[in-house]
């Protein structure tokens, strides 16, 4: 998944954002597991990138939940 802008994420629904967050969790887990077993990654910056994308998604989800209340 490429870096998504804040405006692009706001257009998505809550369920879709939650699914994206779960997918990012899996990808982060796989990258960390690969790092632990092989002691190196081809593109180690991808872990940080995916963590930031997940944080963006969770921030948007929190904002949407606050608006709903």
């Amino acid at each position: 998944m490429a870096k998504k802008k804040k405006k692009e994420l706001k257009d998505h629904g809550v369920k879709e954002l939650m699914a994206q967050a779960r997918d990012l969790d899996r990808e982060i887990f796989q990258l960390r597991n690969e790092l632990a077993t092989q002691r190196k990654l081809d593109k180690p910056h991808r872990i940080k990138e995916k963590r930031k994308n997940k944080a963006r998604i969770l921030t948007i989800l929190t904002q949407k939940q606050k608006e709903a209340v």
Side-chain angles (χ1 to χ4, degrees):
M1 175 195 293
K3 179 179 174 183
K4 294 225 175 180
K5 300 279 182 177
K6 191 175 179 182
K7 291 179 183 178
E8 294 173 7
L9 290 173
K10 283 189 175 184
D11 295 338
H12 296 296
V14 174
K15 289 184 181 181
E16 188 174 345
L17 289 172
M18 291 175 75
Q20 287 179 3
R22 277 192 306 265
D23 290 342
L24 285 171
D25 271 339
R26 286 187 200 113
E27 291 174 16
I28 292 168
F29 176 78
Q30 289 172 350
L31 287 171
R32 285 187 178 168
N33 193 21
E34 184 179 335
L35 180 63
T37 57
Q38 297 179 0
R39 296 295 228 181
K40 68 175 189 175
L41 288 173
D42 294 334
K43 299 178 183 178
H45 67 279
R46 292 177 64 209
I47 293 174
K48 185 175 180 181
E49 180 182 295
K50 291 185 184 298
R51 287 180 63 220
K52 284 187 176 186
N53 282 340
K54 182 182 171 198
R56 284 186 186 101
I57 290 171
L58 293 177
T59 301
I60 300 295
L61 278 171
T62 303
Q63 289 173 354
K64 286 188 178 225
Q65 288 173 349
K66 286 183 179 180
E67 287 175 1
V69 172

